[in-house]
Amino acid sequence: MSELKNIEAVIFDMDGVLLDTETISFQAWRKAALESGIDTEEGIDAVQKMCMGRNRNDTIALLSEHYKNIGGFDALSFLERCSAIFREIADKDGIPLMPHVVECLEALKKRGAQILLASSTRESVVRKQLTDAGIIGYFKTITTGDMVEHSKPEPDIYLLAAKTVGANPLNCVAVEDSPNGAESAVRAQMKCVLVPDKIMPDEALKNRVWRVIDSLGELESTLF
């Protein structure tokens, strides 16, 4: 039984929480990196994990700093190539839902919860992917990375999401999969439920979030 009493909103991240975009994204980053000759597969994986949960501007800044000694590297061009490869894979194979997404959203809807979205991805992409997945109708508001100057791990996006429905951040639950996303929610003073996907949390992160669960199938019983 949860000790939460006044949940004003449940705010979901999208990538790696609702949609299995991270698997496709890793494939796209690896291919683009090999084409660019900027890093080994192992190295680019590490860099991508640092970027997970960040919006486009912050990712460009991080990549530019990381590869500043490589002549001719252009972070924007690299990201555009990653996006192009991602679209090729997604158009061909589709983007799978993460386990238990629909049953989780249905359960929250039946309880009358305000269901919001806070994703670092651009709004146009978020809306298309949620629409294609058939779940966009569950979300009362959608807040995206291009609506804030700095996205995760800064708290801006979660604070803005709460503001869209007039909710107190202290009474909001954020559902995240990545360290950057979890840090954003914690800084916004929200209760963060972590559902790890590609990055397993270390002990420090486990101690900062409210709960760690294995899948969205456990979320309803965690909250109510």
Side-chain angles (χ1 to χ4, degrees):
M1 179 68 66
S2 167
E3 72 262 23
L4 293 182
K5 295 180 180 179
N6 300 306
I7 301 175
E8 294 185 43
V10 181
I11 310 176
F12 287 85
D13 176 41
M14 183 181 76
D15 298 300
V17 173
L18 300 171
L19 303 182
D20 190 12
T21 51
E22 304 291 17
T23 296
I24 302 173
S25 182
F26 268 65
Q27 294 173 14
W29 275 63
R30 288 168 182 166
K31 184 174 181 181
L34 291 172
E35 289 177 357
S36 303
I38 61 172
D39 215 331
T40 64
E41 182 173 305
E42 180 181 2
I44 199 65
D45 280 359
V47 174
Q48 191 194 13
K49 286 177 180 178
M50 289 191 292
C51 295
M52 283 176 67
R54 299 178 188 268
N55 67 5
R56 192 176 183 85
N57 289 338
D58 289 349
T59 298
I60 288 172
L62 190 151
L63 287 172
S64 297
E65 174 63 23
H66 189 79
Y67 292 115
K68 63 184 177 182
N69 294 325
I70 297 180
F73 176 75
D74 182 84
L76 177 58
S77 297
F78 175 75
L79 284 185
E80 288 177 344
R81 179 57 181 151
C82 289
S83 295
I85 297 170
F86 183 101
R87 288 193 298 271
E88 291 172 5
I89 299 171
D91 289 345
K92 178 176 179 290
D93 302 324
I95 303 174
L97 287 171
M98 297 296 287
H100 308 294
V101 167
V102 174
E103 66 187 72
C104 173
L105 294 174
E106 275 293 323
L108 294 178
K109 179 181 176 181
K110 288 177 180 177
R111 286 186 176 272
Q114 292 197 104
I115 306 172
L116 317 181
L117 190 102
S119 170
S120 294
T121 303
R122 289 170 293 165
E123 182 180 13
S124 60
V125 175
V126 167
R127 289 189 177 276
K128 180 181 186 306
Q129 291 180 355
L130 292 177
T131 299
D132 290 347
I135 59 174
I136 194 168
Y138 287 102
F139 301 98
K140 186 169 184 179
T141 65
I142 292 173
T143 306
T144 57
D146 46 355
M147 298 178 183
V148 293
E149 182 177 0
H150 294 297
S151 193
K152 306 167 186 179
E154 299 301 322
D156 308 36
I157 194 165
Y158 276 112
L159 293 174
L160 181 59
K163 188 176 180 180
T164 63
V165 293
N168 183 341
L170 292 172
N171 295 329
C172 293
V173 174
V175 186
E176 273 288 351
D177 71 302
S178 71
N180 282 332
E183 182 67 23
S184 175
V186 170
R187 290 186 190 181
Q189 296 186 291
M190 295 185 179
K191 299 285 190 183
C192 181
V193 177
L194 188 67
V195 191
D197 180 28
K198 300 300 182 187
I199 306 176
M200 293 299 107
D202 58 20
E203 288 303 314
L205 182 59
K206 288 179 181 178
N207 290 332
R208 285 176 62 73
V209 301
W210 182 64
R211 291 286 189 275
V212 180
I213 60 178
D214 291 330
S215 77
L216 291 181
E218 302 174 26
L219 185 62
E220 183 187 12
S221 62
T222 300
L223 300 184
F224 301 100

